[in-house]
Amino acid sequence: MPATPLPTLLLVRPQAQAAQQAQRLQAAGITAQPFCIEDTVADDAALSALPQQAASADWLVFVSPSCIDLAWPQLAGLPLAANLACVGRASADKLAALSGRAVLHPPHGNDSDALLTLPPLQQLAEQTVLIVRGDGGRPQLGETLARRGAQVHYAEVYRRVPVQADWALFDRLAAAGPSPALLITSSHSAQLLFCQAGATRRRALLACRFIALHPRIAATLQQLGVTRPLLAADEHALCALLTGPR
């Protein structure tokens, strides 16, 4: 018997990406709203330096949709010779649409581990890789590429800042029932979410259905007290999870 779609899905991700995703999900018949717990602030100096960095790169690797939203306008129209790569399909689709070029990405998985398995990134001697990311990104990708011979540089084009989520919206949804679902897109966002919720909302928060984009995020949620977080590696899997039988 087909399941009734969850009444509201709260998108715990930066505002720009949450708003875009909410529109796509609404078109698929899923009620979704942004629920921003942290946002991104552009680093103007890094963005200004980006074209010169990119001009000498053999590879440009974008680690998130936020990187593409901020960085590609600085690069569009330039005669870039670099290959393009992304850690996940959704980012790759976005970048391919903007650039009109092929974008290397893992066919399965949506993280640095999956990207690092791809044949073009195994032997990188005398090649320059520019990783476009936010400040304080995970070091694994750059360290592994450096061990494979690459000269690795970074363009940290934004920083993350906590923002106060719309807890009045959450309270209304939780009181009306059934409890909302929450899509969690980073471990840091999960930690901020529970920190902001505090003891007074912890029970209501744990009554929600949690959906994580990656096993690492699901593990963080379990550490925070969520008993059975669900996994959806991409938006197609998310839609199937929400609209299919359960």
Side-chain angles (χ1 to χ4, degrees):
M1 178 177 178
T4 302
L6 295 173
T8 302
L9 176 65
L10 298 179
L11 305 172
V12 185
R13 67 187 316 163
Q15 183 64 33
Q17 283 73 51
Q20 294 166 8
Q21 187 174 32
Q23 289 183 341
R24 295 193 301 270
L25 293 173
Q26 295 282 4
I30 297 168
T31 302
Q33 294 193 41
F35 195 72
C36 188
I37 203 82
E38 63 177 345
D39 213 347
T40 56
V41 175
D43 186 317
D44 292 336
L47 288 170
S48 295
L50 181 61
Q52 184 174 354
Q53 285 183 287
S56 60
D58 298 291
W59 285 91
L60 294 176
V61 182
F62 295 80
V63 303
S64 72
S66 294
C67 293
I68 297 168
D69 288 341
L70 290 169
W72 191 254
Q74 305 297 315
L75 302 174
L78 298 180
L80 295 175
N83 299 291
L84 304 179
C86 289
V87 299
R89 181 184 296 274
S91 293
D93 288 347
K94 176 190 281 284
L95 184 57
L98 290 170
S99 67
R101 296 175 54 188
V103 180
L104 182 72
H105 66 89
H108 307 289
N110 60 344
D111 60 10
S112 298
D113 294 334
L115 181 65
L116 287 166
T117 65
L118 300 182
L121 298 180
Q122 301 308 304
Q123 300 294 330
L124 294 168
E126 300 183 3
Q127 295 192 51
T128 299
V129 177
L130 179 62
I131 298 176
V132 185
R133 66 179 189 177
D135 66 331
R138 294 177 68 230
Q140 177 197 14
L141 178 61
E143 290 175 352
T144 302
L145 295 176
R147 287 196 296 270
R148 295 175 182 177
Q151 295 291 321
V152 178
H153 303 281
Y154 297 94
E156 296 189 331
V157 297
Y158 68 83
R159 56 188 173 86
R160 301 169 183 85
V161 294
V163 297
Q164 189 67 22
D166 187 354
W167 289 106
L169 168 65
F170 176 86
D171 292 342
R172 289 196 303 272
L173 293 172
S179 296
L182 295 102
L183 176 67
I184 310 297
T185 60
S186 76
S187 295
H188 190 242
S189 289
Q191 293 163 344
L192 283 176
L193 180 73
F194 276 82
C195 182
Q196 275 197 22
T200 58
R201 288 191 177 92
R202 181 174 175 80
R203 179 173 297 194
L205 197 58
L206 290 175
C208 298
R209 181 179 298 246
F210 283 82
I211 304 170
L213 291 183
H214 191 278
R216 185 171 56 250
I217 303 170
T220 298
L221 288 168
Q222 289 177 312
Q223 293 169 4
L224 292 166
V226 178
T227 54
R228 285 188 294 273
L230 303 173
L231 279 173
D234 56 32
E235 203 161 290
H236 297 294
L238 176 64
C239 291
L241 180 66
L242 293 173
T243 59
R246 52 186 170 87

